Amino acid sequence: MIDLQELLTKSLVAHDSQRDRSKQVEIGPSSLGGCRRRVYHELIETPQTNQTEKLAAILGTFIHSGIESVMEREDPFGDNYLREIEVSYGGIKGHVDLYIKSEGAVIDWKTKKKAGLRYFPSHSEIWQVQTYGYLLDANGYEVKTVSLVAIPRDGEMADIKVYTEDYNPEVAKAALSWLQELKDIVAGAGPAPDPEEKVAFCSKYCSFYDPSGEIGCPSTAK
Ligand code: SF4
């Protein structure tokens, strides 16, 4: 009898590892304002020291591509709903989930657990979406507002939460200087920033978690 849990797990992990990943170290907007130590390890290309739990991220990717195709039905030629635009500026590249041309609106979908909605949006998510706005702005798109839309995987339609604020390039610039500070530490061979997350999170979700602290990061608590 086929072990169906194993079949599904293996297929999901194989699919995930085949996804196009740039070999070059490039910090995307989603890392801005998160754990500084983690971005530091990404920048210095520390080898992976931990197998992370991937189901939520894989489901998140599936939900994103599902939403992209339903948006395509709404606007088949992408005249107004521009999906998955790749934009870069100043050494940072981002994929914008949706830009609505007629509104100058930038939208980022976030998949969550319903219980996590009370922390939505996080400071880092706001930095991320403002940075998408900044990248679009720098590439000639008119940007007026930025929005984050939280989709609870275990919730109902009515639980979907929308957060919108005016586009503010100063917020994006603050996010980019946060990243620049880390790049400066690396360039000057400065000390690694202190860990910022607790072991319960790190052991499940951080590829650099390393209880010994010899190669990766031991987290805030052992
Ligand atoms: S193990 Fe935790 S504290 Fe360390 S880099 Fe990863 S997320 Fe940050």
Side-chain angles (χ1 to χ4, degrees):
M1 171 96 183
I2 293 177
D3 181 332
L4 293 174
Q5 186 189 16
E6 192 189 325
L7 172 69
L8 179 62
T9 308
K10 269 191 171 171
S11 312
L12 287 172
V13 170
H15 168 82
D16 188 57
S17 60
Q18 267 180 1
R19 283 167 52 217
D20 182 31
R21 292 222 171 83
S22 164
K23 294 254 182 317
Q24 211 190 342
V25 184
E26 206 162 52
I27 306 300
S30 61
S31 297
L32 298 171
C35 174
R36 293 170 76 244
R37 174 70 171 255
R38 184 166 172 161
V39 174
Y40 167 85
H41 281 296
E42 283 173 23
L43 288 168
I44 63 167
E45 297 185 63
T46 300
Q48 188 171 334
T49 50
N50 185 31
Q51 284 295 333
T52 54
E53 166 54 46
K54 294 195 166 55
L55 185 59
I58 292 172
L59 293 179
T61 307
F62 286 168
I63 291 171
H64 271 76
S65 60
I67 294 175
E68 197 188 336
S69 53
V70 294
M71 287 295 150
E72 193 177 338
R73 280 178 67 114
E74 293 294 313
D75 178 13
F77 301 107
D79 293 329
N80 193 31
Y81 292 1
L82 279 66
R83 303 169 291 272
E84 278 292 322
I85 318 174
E86 184 180 295
V87 266
S88 37
Y89 180 73
I92 190 151
K93 182 160 85 180
H95 290 92
V96 182
D97 286 342
L98 180 65
Y99 168 72
I100 304 179
K101 210 162 140 187
S102 60
E103 312 268 312
V106 180
I107 293 102
D108 194 38
W109 314 116
K110 294 284 177 212
T111 49
K112 304 262 170 197
K113 271 194 198 162
K114 195 175 165 187
L117 291 181
R118 61 178 180 273
Y119 308 110
F120 172 82
S122 67
H123 170 67
S124 149
E125 288 168 335
I126 291 174
W127 270 17
Q128 181 185 356
V129 75
Q130 286 284 1
T131 302
Y132 287 140
Y134 186 72
L135 296 177
L136 284 165
D137 184 10
N139 282 276
Y141 295 85
E142 186 187 14
V143 180
K144 294 181 184 162
T145 59
V146 296
S147 296
L148 291 153
V149 181
I151 304 153
R153 296 188 301 273
D154 53 349
E156 299 179 358
M157 291 289 194
D159 298 317
I160 294 173
K161 215 168 154 182
V162 178
Y163 174 84
T164 299
E165 65 178 32
D166 288 341
Y167 166 57
N168 181 353
E170 295 310 314
V171 176
K173 284 180 194 163
L176 296 173
S177 30
W178 178 93
L179 178 60
Q180 190 55 49
E181 276 175 30
L182 288 167
K183 287 183 174 172
D184 291 346
I185 290 176
V186 170
D194 288 337
E196 294 178 10
E197 298 281 357
K198 295 196 176 77
V199 69
F201 171 86
C202 301
S203 58
K204 264 194 167 181
Y205 300 112
C206 183
S207 311
F208 304 117
Y209 173 62
D210 171 9
S212 74
E214 281 166 24
I215 299 172
C217 165
S219 88
T220 55
K222 288 198 181 184

